[in-house]
């Protein structure tokens, strides 16, 4: 109950004298006092009623109101017992301390005021209990979160939403703009302790046992939960439990489509027959796309396999809906995806011919980075492929992910745009591409060797064989280490590559094997 609700009780006849802008304050209880300094008997949130018996001089009003404000009282109801008026010094003190002041009619006893308000508070608390029971009935009906949140918003005046860590709206009692949703998500990912209150909203985790918030959902309520009575705080925890159950119910790993998506990923991963792959593309809604992109992810930190899969799904949903506002729901309105876990990697197939997708994946991972600390997450994204090139796309994404392991920070993402061209060989591209790859890397070295009677190609092969060890390579070639350094520098100058980079070493390694 809030102070402005008192004005909707005509039987009380209260009128506001000061503090019109602070009537949203909640009322936790009602206290009647005639003490000049009642602060030590207040714990915050009270509506204080007084007959001003404590007032001996105008200065007393300052003492009394200052005590109320310091104790966190919500408001003051007053009436001078004999005249029925309010002294100007009391009104001024209330304005100085932003203490809402109500005039209580002289004919109305404080006992009647207290009785009306306490009855209203008790009814509100009973409504909270009723809401918990209704919530259980809604769950049994299998109607999902929407009716539960709408009921809480309608019956209790508690606007609330269930969201994912990327700010994607799962369900809500009212619409929610994208900026607010994103701000809530950032709070959820960055705040040290939950539940918490920030910027007029309270944030509750759905699953307090998850190893990473980025694999969880959260519930957001309008208002500060520390101002709520215990019953309403318990209701918030109950709603989080409801959301946890709904999250499990919607986990597509348990659905026929989710199991088929897992089969599809395994078939592509193991070079299954097209006759087995195509029907599963149909079932998962991926058939007929103009192109496909593969994504591979792994985590060597706190994320469990099921949580890794949930994180990948959230990253992709955030990427494909980037700039479109938080889509409602978690099902068919979103781009269909096929996600499976093979070994320690989560593999996803996305129907897309958008060359900017990898950039949005990076942006989505960066947005979620505060919740990824300690997860060891690495992500690789392939280029665009057709159905017959799905296996190559998966291998390309997996290799990109392994390259990402060398990048610092919690948002290590490597896309096809960062890969050396040898990845195309792994995808079994035509022979002319193989030839181009080999000639571009090794011909400058061969030409130099022929003209200068040098040994750069052999030096390169030995250097790679020794995994870049200067000492071992110089011993193998029977040359001084300075001679070796000179040769490696010439190789780098002629090819424009850097042998301290893993991807350039792999390029040279494959080119030498293709001779």
């Amino acid at each position: 109950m809030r102070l402005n609700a008192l004005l909707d009780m005509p039987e009380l006849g209260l009128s506001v004298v000061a503090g019109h802008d602070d009537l949203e304050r909640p009322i936790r209880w009602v206290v009647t006092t005639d003490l000049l300094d009642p602060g030590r008997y207040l714990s915050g949130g009270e509506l204080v009623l007084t007959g001003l018996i404590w007032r001996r001089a105008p200065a007393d009003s300052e003492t009394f109101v200052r005590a109320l404000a310091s104790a966190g009282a919500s408001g003051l109801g007053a009436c001078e017992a004999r005249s029925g008026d309010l002294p100007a010094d009391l009104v001024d003190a209330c304005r100085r301390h932003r203490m809402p002041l109500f005039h209580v009619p002289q004919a109305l006893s404080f006992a009647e005021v207290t009785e009306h308000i306490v009855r209203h508070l008790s009814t509100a608390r009973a409504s909270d209990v009723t809401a918990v029971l209704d919530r259980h009935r809604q769950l049994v009906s299998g109607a999902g979160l929407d009716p539960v949140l709408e009921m809480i918003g309608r019956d209790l005046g508690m606007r609330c939403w269930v969201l994912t860590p990327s700010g994607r709206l799962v369900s809500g009692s009212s619409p929610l703009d994208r900026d607010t949703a994103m701000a809530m998500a950032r709070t959820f990912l960055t705040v040290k302790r939950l539940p918490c209150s920030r910027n007029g909203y309270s944030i509750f985790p759905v699953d307090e046992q998850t190893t990473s918030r980025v694999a969880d959902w959260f519930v957001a309520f309008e208002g500060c939960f520390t101002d709520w009575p215990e019953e309403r705080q318990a209701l918030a925890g109950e709603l989080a439990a409801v959301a946890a159950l709904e999250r499990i119910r919607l986990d597509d790993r348990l659905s026929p489509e989710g199991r088929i998506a897992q089969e599809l990923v395994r078939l592509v991963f193991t070079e299954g027959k097209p006759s087995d792959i195509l029907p599963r593309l149909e079932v998962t809604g991926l058939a007929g796309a103009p192109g496909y992109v593969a994504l591979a992810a792994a985590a060597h930190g706190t994320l469990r396999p099921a949580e890794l899969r949930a994180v990948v799904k959230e990253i992709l949903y955030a990427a494909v809906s980037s700039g479109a506002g938080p889509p409602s729901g978690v099902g068919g309105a979103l781009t269909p995806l096929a996600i499976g876990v093979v070994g320690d990697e989560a593999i996803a197939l996305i129907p897309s011919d958008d060359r900017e997708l990898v950039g949005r994946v990076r942006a989505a991972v960066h947005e979620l980075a505060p919740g990824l600390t300690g997860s060891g997450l690495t992500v690789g994204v392939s280029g665009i492929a057709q159905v017959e090139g799905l296996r190559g796309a998966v291998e390309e994404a997996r290799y990109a992910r392994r390259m990402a392991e060398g990048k610092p920070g919690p948002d290590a993402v490597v896309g096809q745009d960062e890969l050396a061209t040898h990845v195309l060989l792994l995808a079994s591209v035509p022979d002319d591409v193989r030839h181009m790859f080999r000639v571009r890397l090794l011909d400058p070295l061969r030409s130099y060797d022929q003209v200068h009677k040098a040994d750069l190609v052999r030096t390169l092969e030995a250097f790679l064989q020794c995994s870049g060890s200067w000492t071992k390579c110089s011993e193998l070639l029977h040359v001084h280490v300075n001679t070796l350094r000179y040769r490696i520098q010439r190789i780098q100058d002629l090819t424009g590559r850097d042998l301290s980079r893993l991807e350039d070493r792999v390029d040279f390694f494959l080119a030498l094997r293709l001779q």
Side-chain angles (χ1 to χ4, degrees), residues 429-458:
V429 297
D431 289 342
D432 57 339
V433 177
R434 296 171 180 261
H435 176 73
M436 176 188 68
F437 174 79
R438 184 176 64 248
V439 167
R440 190 174 65 194
L441 278 176
L442 298 183
D443 267 17
L445 305 183
R446 289 200 190 97
S447 298
Y448 187 91
D449 284 347
Q450 290 173 0
V451 173
H452 299 278
K453 307 299 181 184
D455 211 6
L456 295 187
V457 174
R458 180 168 171 264

PDB file of all heavy atoms in Angstrom, residues 429-458:
ATOM      1  N   VAL A 429      37.926 -27.937 -50.908  1.00  0.00           N
ATOM      2  CA  VAL A 429      37.615 -27.098 -52.069  1.00  0.00           C
ATOM      3  C   VAL A 429      38.380 -27.622 -53.289  1.00  0.00           C
ATOM      4  O   VAL A 429      39.260 -28.468 -53.178  1.00  0.00           O
ATOM      5  CB  VAL A 429      37.986 -25.627 -51.770  1.00  0.00           C
ATOM      6  CG1 VAL A 429      37.157 -25.085 -50.638  1.00  0.00           C
ATOM      7  CG2 VAL A 429      39.460 -25.488 -51.455  1.00  0.00           C
ATOM      8  N   PRO A 430      38.086 -27.111 -54.461  1.00  0.00           N
ATOM      9  CA  PRO A 430      38.677 -27.651 -55.696  1.00  0.00           C
ATOM     10  C   PRO A 430      40.202 -27.552 -55.736  1.00  0.00           C
ATOM     11  O   PRO A 430      40.830 -26.764 -55.031  1.00  0.00           O
ATOM     12  CB  PRO A 430      38.033 -26.788 -56.784  1.00  0.00           C
ATOM     13  CG  PRO A 430      36.756 -26.317 -56.193  1.00  0.00           C
ATOM     14  CD  PRO A 430      37.039 -26.126 -54.735  1.00  0.00           C
ATOM     15  N   ASP A 431      40.787 -28.352 -56.656  1.00  0.00           N
ATOM     16  CA  ASP A 431      42.244 -28.440 -56.765  1.00  0.00           C
ATOM     17  C   ASP A 431      42.890 -27.115 -57.136  1.00  0.00           C
ATOM     18  O   ASP A 431      44.018 -26.830 -56.717  1.00  0.00           O
ATOM     19  CB  ASP A 431      42.620 -29.498 -57.810  1.00  0.00           C
ATOM     20  CG  ASP A 431      42.335 -30.905 -57.315  1.00  0.00           C
ATOM     21  OD1 ASP A 431      42.191 -31.078 -56.087  1.00  0.00           O
ATOM     22  OD2 ASP A 431      42.260 -31.812 -58.159  1.00  0.00           O
ATOM     23  N   ASP A 432      42.208 -26.302 -57.953  1.00  0.00           N
ATOM     24  CA  ASP A 432      42.832 -25.038 -58.360  1.00  0.00           C
ATOM     25  C   ASP A 432      43.030 -24.108 -57.165  1.00  0.00           C
ATOM     26  O   ASP A 432      43.971 -23.323 -57.115  1.00  0.00           O
ATOM     27  CB  ASP A 432      42.013 -24.359 -59.460  1.00  0.00           C
ATOM     28  CG  ASP A 432      40.581 -24.102 -59.040  1.00  0.00           C
ATOM     29  OD1 ASP A 432      40.100 -24.763 -58.097  1.00  0.00           O
ATOM     30  OD2 ASP A 432      39.941 -23.233 -59.651  1.00  0.00           O
ATOM     31  N   VAL A 433      42.158 -24.211 -56.175  1.00  0.00           N
ATOM     32  CA  VAL A 433      42.325 -23.402 -54.963  1.00  0.00           C
ATOM     33  C   VAL A 433      43.518 -23.919 -54.162  1.00  0.00           C
ATOM     34  O   VAL A 433      44.306 -23.148 -53.619  1.00  0.00           O
ATOM     35  CB  VAL A 433      41.040 -23.420 -54.112  1.00  0.00           C
ATOM     36  CG1 VAL A 433      41.243 -22.643 -52.811  1.00  0.00           C
ATOM     37  CG2 VAL A 433      39.881 -22.820 -54.892  1.00  0.00           C
ATOM     38  N   ARG A 434      43.653 -25.247 -54.088  1.00  0.00           N
ATOM     39  CA  ARG A 434      44.813 -25.829 -53.418  1.00  0.00           C
ATOM     40  C   ARG A 434      46.120 -25.324 -54.063  1.00  0.00           C
ATOM     41  O   ARG A 434      47.059 -24.949 -53.377  1.00  0.00           O
ATOM     42  CB  ARG A 434      44.781 -27.351 -53.512  1.00  0.00           C
ATOM     43  CG  ARG A 434      43.619 -28.022 -52.807  1.00  0.00           C
ATOM     44  CD  ARG A 434      43.602 -29.505 -53.178  1.00  0.00           C
ATOM     45  NE  ARG A 434      42.515 -30.205 -52.545  1.00  0.00           N
ATOM     46  CZ  ARG A 434      42.636 -30.936 -51.431  1.00  0.00           C
ATOM     47  NH1 ARG A 434      43.811 -31.031 -50.856  1.00  0.00           N
ATOM     48  NH2 ARG A 434      41.603 -31.544 -50.915  1.00  0.00           N
ATOM     49  N   HIS A 435      46.120 -25.357 -55.386  1.00  0.00           N
ATOM     50  CA  HIS A 435      47.314 -24.924 -56.115  1.00  0.00           C
ATOM     51  C   HIS A 435      47.610 -23.448 -55.835  1.00  0.00           C
ATOM     52  O   HIS A 435      48.762 -23.068 -55.578  1.00  0.00           O
ATOM     53  CB  HIS A 435      47.105 -25.157 -57.612  1.00  0.00           C
ATOM     54  CG  HIS A 435      48.242 -24.665 -58.460  1.00  0.00           C
ATOM     55  ND1 HIS A 435      49.467 -25.312 -58.512  1.00  0.00           N
ATOM     56  CD2 HIS A 435      48.350 -23.566 -59.270  1.00  0.00           C
ATOM     57  CE1 HIS A 435      50.267 -24.644 -59.315  1.00  0.00           C
ATOM     58  NE2 HIS A 435      49.610 -23.587 -59.794  1.00  0.00           N
ATOM     59  N   MET A 436      46.580 -22.623 -55.864  1.00  0.00           N
ATOM     60  CA  MET A 436      46.760 -21.196 -55.593  1.00  0.00           C
ATOM     61  C   MET A 436      47.321 -20.979 -54.186  1.00  0.00           C
ATOM     62  O   MET A 436      48.221 -20.157 -53.973  1.00  0.00           O
ATOM     63  CB  MET A 436      45.415 -20.478 -55.727  1.00  0.00           C
ATOM     64  CG  MET A 436      45.450 -18.999 -55.374  1.00  0.00           C
ATOM     65  SD  MET A 436      43.797 -18.267 -55.316  1.00  0.00           S
ATOM     66  CE  MET A 436      43.115 -19.097 -53.884  1.00  0.00           C
ATOM     67  N   PHE A 437      46.801 -21.729 -53.240  1.00  0.00           N
ATOM     68  CA  PHE A 437      47.247 -21.614 -51.855  1.00  0.00           C
ATOM     69  C   PHE A 437      48.742 -21.933 -51.742  1.00  0.00           C
ATOM     70  O   PHE A 437      49.520 -21.215 -51.106  1.00  0.00           O
ATOM     71  CB  PHE A 437      46.418 -22.578 -51.009  1.00  0.00           C
ATOM     72  CG  PHE A 437      46.836 -22.693 -49.585  1.00  0.00           C
ATOM     73  CD1 PHE A 437      46.471 -21.727 -48.655  1.00  0.00           C
ATOM     74  CD2 PHE A 437      47.601 -23.767 -49.152  1.00  0.00           C
ATOM     75  CE1 PHE A 437      46.855 -21.832 -47.337  1.00  0.00           C
ATOM     76  CE2 PHE A 437      47.982 -23.882 -47.836  1.00  0.00           C
ATOM     77  CZ  PHE A 437      47.614 -22.920 -46.924  1.00  0.00           C
ATOM     78  N   ARG A 438      49.156 -23.046 -52.373  1.00  0.00           N
ATOM     79  CA  ARG A 438      50.546 -23.495 -52.287  1.00  0.00           C
ATOM     80  C   ARG A 438      51.494 -22.520 -52.988  1.00  0.00           C
ATOM     81  O   ARG A 438      52.543 -22.157 -52.455  1.00  0.00           O
ATOM     82  CB  ARG A 438      50.661 -24.895 -52.910  1.00  0.00           C
ATOM     83  CG  ARG A 438      52.039 -25.516 -52.801  1.00  0.00           C
ATOM     84  CD  ARG A 438      52.047 -26.930 -53.336  1.00  0.00           C
ATOM     85  NE  ARG A 438      51.742 -26.977 -54.760  1.00  0.00           N
ATOM     86  CZ  ARG A 438      50.622 -27.492 -55.285  1.00  0.00           C
ATOM     87  NH1 ARG A 438      49.689 -27.987 -54.478  1.00  0.00           N
ATOM     88  NH2 ARG A 438      50.426 -27.507 -56.583  1.00  0.00           N
ATOM     89  N   VAL A 439      51.111 -22.104 -54.192  1.00  0.00           N
ATOM     90  CA  VAL A 439      51.974 -21.221 -54.978  1.00  0.00           C
ATOM     91  C   VAL A 439      52.168 -19.882 -54.288  1.00  0.00           C
ATOM     92  O   VAL A 439      53.273 -19.336 -54.219  1.00  0.00           O
ATOM     93  CB  VAL A 439      51.388 -21.035 -56.390  1.00  0.00           C
ATOM     94  CG1 VAL A 439      52.067 -19.884 -57.109  1.00  0.00           C
ATOM     95  CG2 VAL A 439      51.520 -22.330 -57.180  1.00  0.00           C
ATOM     96  N   ARG A 440      51.078 -19.327 -53.730  1.00  0.00           N
ATOM     97  CA  ARG A 440      51.165 -17.995 -53.121  1.00  0.00           C
ATOM     98  C   ARG A 440      52.116 -17.973 -51.932  1.00  0.00           C
ATOM     99  O   ARG A 440      52.810 -16.995 -51.689  1.00  0.00           O
ATOM    100  CB  ARG A 440      49.765 -17.537 -52.688  1.00  0.00           C
ATOM    101  CG  ARG A 440      49.707 -16.076 -52.260  1.00  0.00           C
ATOM    102  CD  ARG A 440      48.291 -15.631 -51.994  1.00  0.00           C
ATOM    103  NE  ARG A 440      47.718 -16.348 -50.862  1.00  0.00           N
ATOM    104  CZ  ARG A 440      46.413 -16.365 -50.566  1.00  0.00           C
ATOM    105  NH1 ARG A 440      45.571 -15.756 -51.368  1.00  0.00           N
ATOM    106  NH2 ARG A 440      45.974 -17.013 -49.514  1.00  0.00           N
ATOM    107  N   LEU A 441      52.150 -19.080 -51.166  1.00  0.00           N
ATOM    108  CA  LEU A 441      52.994 -19.104 -49.983  1.00  0.00           C
ATOM    109  C   LEU A 441      54.442 -19.513 -50.274  1.00  0.00           C
ATOM    110  O   LEU A 441      55.382 -18.941 -49.719  1.00  0.00           O
ATOM    111  CB  LEU A 441      52.409 -20.074 -48.943  1.00  0.00           C
ATOM    112  CG  LEU A 441      51.278 -19.529 -48.062  1.00  0.00           C
ATOM    113  CD1 LEU A 441      50.752 -20.619 -47.161  1.00  0.00           C
ATOM    114  CD2 LEU A 441      51.757 -18.354 -47.238  1.00  0.00           C
ATOM    115  N   LEU A 442      54.638 -20.505 -51.145  1.00  0.00           N
ATOM    116  CA  LEU A 442      55.970 -21.092 -51.287  1.00  0.00           C
ATOM    117  C   LEU A 442      56.763 -20.599 -52.492  1.00  0.00           C
ATOM    118  O   LEU A 442      58.000 -20.674 -52.486  1.00  0.00           O
ATOM    119  CB  LEU A 442      55.864 -22.623 -51.339  1.00  0.00           C
ATOM    120  CG  LEU A 442      55.271 -23.280 -50.086  1.00  0.00           C
ATOM    121  CD1 LEU A 442      55.283 -24.789 -50.240  1.00  0.00           C
ATOM    122  CD2 LEU A 442      56.026 -22.862 -48.833  1.00  0.00           C
ATOM    123  N   ASP A 443      56.094 -20.137 -53.550  1.00  0.00           N
ATOM    124  CA  ASP A 443      56.823 -19.705 -54.744  1.00  0.00           C
ATOM    125  C   ASP A 443      57.845 -18.598 -54.474  1.00  0.00           C
ATOM    126  O   ASP A 443      58.948 -18.616 -55.030  1.00  0.00           O
ATOM    127  CB  ASP A 443      55.857 -19.294 -55.847  1.00  0.00           C
ATOM    128  CG  ASP A 443      55.565 -20.472 -56.786  1.00  0.00           C
ATOM    129  OD1 ASP A 443      55.840 -21.630 -56.397  1.00  0.00           O
ATOM    130  OD2 ASP A 443      55.068 -20.229 -57.899  1.00  0.00           O
ATOM    131  N   PRO A 444      57.509 -17.592 -53.642  1.00  0.00           N
ATOM    132  CA  PRO A 444      58.527 -16.556 -53.360  1.00  0.00           C
ATOM    133  C   PRO A 444      59.792 -17.151 -52.736  1.00  0.00           C
ATOM    134  O   PRO A 444      60.912 -16.686 -53.022  1.00  0.00           O
ATOM    135  CB  PRO A 444      57.808 -15.620 -52.375  1.00  0.00           C
ATOM    136  CG  PRO A 444      56.368 -15.813 -52.659  1.00  0.00           C
ATOM    137  CD  PRO A 444      56.217 -17.255 -53.005  1.00  0.00           C
ATOM    138  N   LEU A 445      59.647 -18.196 -51.915  1.00  0.00           N
ATOM    139  CA  LEU A 445      60.803 -18.814 -51.266  1.00  0.00           C
ATOM    140  C   LEU A 445      61.594 -19.659 -52.262  1.00  0.00           C
ATOM    141  O   LEU A 445      62.835 -19.645 -52.260  1.00  0.00           O
ATOM    142  CB  LEU A 445      60.340 -19.673 -50.086  1.00  0.00           C
ATOM    143  CG  LEU A 445      59.477 -18.970 -49.019  1.00  0.00           C
ATOM    144  CD1 LEU A 445      59.148 -19.935 -47.880  1.00  0.00           C
ATOM    145  CD2 LEU A 445      60.175 -17.738 -48.490  1.00  0.00           C
ATOM    146  N   ARG A 446      60.872 -20.404 -53.104  1.00  0.00           N
ATOM    147  CA  ARG A 446      61.558 -21.225 -54.100  1.00  0.00           C
ATOM    148  C   ARG A 446      62.368 -20.349 -55.061  1.00  0.00           C
ATOM    149  O   ARG A 446      63.519 -20.666 -55.420  1.00  0.00           O
ATOM    150  CB  ARG A 446      60.538 -22.055 -54.881  1.00  0.00           C
ATOM    151  CG  ARG A 446      59.900 -23.181 -54.083  1.00  0.00           C
ATOM    152  CD  ARG A 446      59.319 -24.222 -55.038  1.00  0.00           C
ATOM    153  NE  ARG A 446      58.503 -25.182 -54.318  1.00  0.00           N
ATOM    154  CZ  ARG A 446      57.188 -25.099 -54.222  1.00  0.00           C
ATOM    155  NH1 ARG A 446      56.539 -24.105 -54.801  1.00  0.00           N
ATOM    156  NH2 ARG A 446      56.512 -26.016 -53.556  1.00  0.00           N
ATOM    157  N   SER A 447      61.760 -19.262 -55.507  1.00  0.00           N
ATOM    158  CA  SER A 447      62.448 -18.354 -56.440  1.00  0.00           C
ATOM    159  C   SER A 447      63.700 -17.784 -55.798  1.00  0.00           C
ATOM    160  O   SER A 447      64.768 -17.679 -56.435  1.00  0.00           O
ATOM    161  CB  SER A 447      61.508 -17.225 -56.866  1.00  0.00           C
ATOM    162  OG  SER A 447      60.392 -17.742 -57.547  1.00  0.00           O
ATOM    163  N   TYR A 448      63.580 -17.388 -54.537  1.00  0.00           N
ATOM    164  CA  TYR A 448      64.743 -16.833 -53.832  1.00  0.00           C
ATOM    165  C   TYR A 448      65.848 -17.887 -53.714  1.00  0.00           C
ATOM    166  O   TYR A 448      67.038 -17.600 -53.912  1.00  0.00           O
ATOM    167  CB  TYR A 448      64.321 -16.348 -52.436  1.00  0.00           C
ATOM    168  CG  TYR A 448      65.403 -15.619 -51.695  1.00  0.00           C
ATOM    169  CD1 TYR A 448      65.530 -14.232 -51.793  1.00  0.00           C
ATOM    170  CD2 TYR A 448      66.320 -16.307 -50.894  1.00  0.00           C
ATOM    171  CE1 TYR A 448      66.538 -13.560 -51.116  1.00  0.00           C
ATOM    172  CE2 TYR A 448      67.318 -15.649 -50.217  1.00  0.00           C
ATOM    173  CZ  TYR A 448      67.426 -14.268 -50.329  1.00  0.00           C
ATOM    174  OH  TYR A 448      68.421 -13.614 -49.658  1.00  0.00           O
ATOM    175  N   ASP A 449      65.446 -19.128 -53.378  1.00  0.00           N
ATOM    176  CA  ASP A 449      66.439 -20.206 -53.238  1.00  0.00           C
ATOM    177  C   ASP A 449      67.169 -20.454 -54.563  1.00  0.00           C
ATOM    178  O   ASP A 449      68.397 -20.679 -54.586  1.00  0.00           O
ATOM    179  CB  ASP A 449      65.757 -21.498 -52.779  1.00  0.00           C
ATOM    180  CG  ASP A 449      65.404 -21.468 -51.299  1.00  0.00           C
ATOM    181  OD1 ASP A 449      65.903 -20.573 -50.591  1.00  0.00           O
ATOM    182  OD2 ASP A 449      64.619 -22.330 -50.842  1.00  0.00           O
ATOM    183  N   GLN A 450      66.429 -20.428 -55.685  1.00  0.00           N
ATOM    184  CA  GLN A 450      67.044 -20.688 -56.985  1.00  0.00           C
ATOM    185  C   GLN A 450      68.029 -19.593 -57.373  1.00  0.00           C
ATOM    186  O   GLN A 450      69.117 -19.865 -57.900  1.00  0.00           O
ATOM    187  CB  GLN A 450      65.956 -20.827 -58.055  1.00  0.00           C
ATOM    188  CG  GLN A 450      65.133 -22.096 -57.927  1.00  0.00           C
ATOM    189  CD  GLN A 450      63.965 -22.125 -58.893  1.00  0.00           C
ATOM    190  OE1 GLN A 450      63.770 -21.187 -59.675  1.00  0.00           O
ATOM    191  NE2 GLN A 450      63.184 -23.202 -58.847  1.00  0.00           N
ATOM    192  N   VAL A 451      67.648 -18.348 -57.108  1.00  0.00           N
ATOM    193  CA  VAL A 451      68.485 -17.215 -57.503  1.00  0.00           C
ATOM    194  C   VAL A 451      69.708 -17.094 -56.595  1.00  0.00           C
ATOM    195  O   VAL A 451      70.830 -16.844 -57.055  1.00  0.00           O
ATOM    196  CB  VAL A 451      67.675 -15.906 -57.510  1.00  0.00           C
ATOM    197  CG1 VAL A 451      68.591 -14.707 -57.746  1.00  0.00           C
ATOM    198  CG2 VAL A 451      66.576 -15.968 -58.559  1.00  0.00           C
ATOM    199  N   HIS A 452      69.521 -17.269 -55.288  1.00  0.00           N
ATOM    200  CA  HIS A 452      70.595 -16.998 -54.322  1.00  0.00           C
ATOM    201  C   HIS A 452      71.235 -18.267 -53.760  1.00  0.00           C
ATOM    202  O   HIS A 452      72.073 -18.176 -52.851  1.00  0.00           O
ATOM    203  CB  HIS A 452      70.036 -16.160 -53.162  1.00  0.00           C
ATOM    204  CG  HIS A 452      69.507 -14.823 -53.581  1.00  0.00           C
ATOM    205  ND1 HIS A 452      70.325 -13.738 -53.779  1.00  0.00           N
ATOM    206  CD2 HIS A 452      68.230 -14.413 -53.862  1.00  0.00           C
ATOM    207  CE1 HIS A 452      69.588 -12.697 -54.149  1.00  0.00           C
ATOM    208  NE2 HIS A 452      68.312 -13.080 -54.210  1.00  0.00           N
ATOM    209  N   LYS A 453      70.866 -19.407 -54.298  1.00  0.00           N
ATOM    210  CA  LYS A 453      71.394 -20.668 -53.806  1.00  0.00           C
ATOM    211  C   LYS A 453      71.197 -20.794 -52.287  1.00  0.00           C
ATOM    212  O   LYS A 453      72.065 -21.274 -51.546  1.00  0.00           O
ATOM    213  CB  LYS A 453      72.895 -20.811 -54.124  1.00  0.00           C
ATOM    214  CG  LYS A 453      73.245 -20.602 -55.580  1.00  0.00           C
ATOM    215  CD  LYS A 453      72.544 -21.618 -56.483  1.00  0.00           C
ATOM    216  CE  LYS A 453      72.922 -21.400 -57.953  1.00  0.00           C
ATOM    217  NZ  LYS A 453      72.168 -22.317 -58.851  1.00  0.00           N
ATOM    218  N   ALA A 454      70.033 -20.329 -51.844  1.00  0.00           N
ATOM    219  CA  ALA A 454      69.723 -20.342 -50.411  1.00  0.00           C
ATOM    220  C   ALA A 454      68.958 -21.617 -50.055  1.00  0.00           C
ATOM    221  O   ALA A 454      68.748 -22.497 -50.896  1.00  0.00           O
ATOM    222  CB  ALA A 454      68.923 -19.106 -50.041  1.00  0.00           C
ATOM    223  N   ASP A 455      68.559 -21.685 -48.824  1.00  0.00           N
ATOM    224  CA  ASP A 455      67.883 -22.888 -48.331  1.00  0.00           C
ATOM    225  C   ASP A 455      66.668 -22.502 -47.486  1.00  0.00           C
ATOM    226  O   ASP A 455      66.426 -23.085 -46.416  1.00  0.00           O
ATOM    227  CB  ASP A 455      68.871 -23.708 -47.492  1.00  0.00           C
ATOM    228  CG  ASP A 455      68.594 -25.196 -47.578  1.00  0.00           C
ATOM    229  OD1 ASP A 455      67.705 -25.612 -48.367  1.00  0.00           O
ATOM    230  OD2 ASP A 455      69.251 -25.956 -46.857  1.00  0.00           O
ATOM    231  N   LEU A 456      65.873 -21.537 -47.962  1.00  0.00           N
ATOM    232  CA  LEU A 456      64.770 -21.008 -47.143  1.00  0.00           C
ATOM    233  C   LEU A 456      63.654 -22.029 -46.956  1.00  0.00           C
ATOM    234  O   LEU A 456      63.074 -22.134 -45.868  1.00  0.00           O
ATOM    235  CB  LEU A 456      64.213 -19.727 -47.767  1.00  0.00           C
ATOM    236  CG  LEU A 456      65.165 -18.523 -47.819  1.00  0.00           C
ATOM    237  CD1 LEU A 456      64.415 -17.294 -48.313  1.00  0.00           C
ATOM    238  CD2 LEU A 456      65.794 -18.245 -46.460  1.00  0.00           C
ATOM    239  N   VAL A 457      63.306 -22.796 -48.010  1.00  0.00           N
ATOM    240  CA  VAL A 457      62.213 -23.759 -47.892  1.00  0.00           C
ATOM    241  C   VAL A 457      62.558 -24.831 -46.868  1.00  0.00           C
ATOM    242  O   VAL A 457      61.746 -25.185 -46.006  1.00  0.00           O
ATOM    243  CB  VAL A 457      61.884 -24.391 -49.259  1.00  0.00           C
ATOM    244  CG1 VAL A 457      60.843 -25.507 -49.093  1.00  0.00           C
ATOM    245  CG2 VAL A 457      61.366 -23.330 -50.219  1.00  0.00           C
ATOM    246  N   ARG A 458      63.784 -25.357 -46.944  1.00  0.00           N
ATOM    247  CA  ARG A 458      64.204 -26.371 -45.974  1.00  0.00           C
ATOM    248  C   ARG A 458      64.269 -25.781 -44.572  1.00  0.00           C
ATOM    249  O   ARG A 458      63.910 -26.441 -43.580  1.00  0.00           O
ATOM    250  CB  ARG A 458      65.568 -26.920 -46.378  1.00  0.00           C
ATOM    251  CG  ARG A 458      66.100 -27.999 -45.430  1.00  0.00           C
ATOM    252  CD  ARG A 458      67.290 -28.722 -46.014  1.00  0.00           C
ATOM    253  NE  ARG A 458      67.915 -29.586 -45.019  1.00  0.00           N
ATOM    254  CZ  ARG A 458      68.950 -29.269 -44.273  1.00  0.00           C
ATOM    255  NH1 ARG A 458      69.523 -28.066 -44.437  1.00  0.00           N
ATOM    256  NH2 ARG A 458      69.446 -30.113 -43.389  1.00  0.00           N
TER     257      ARG A 458
END
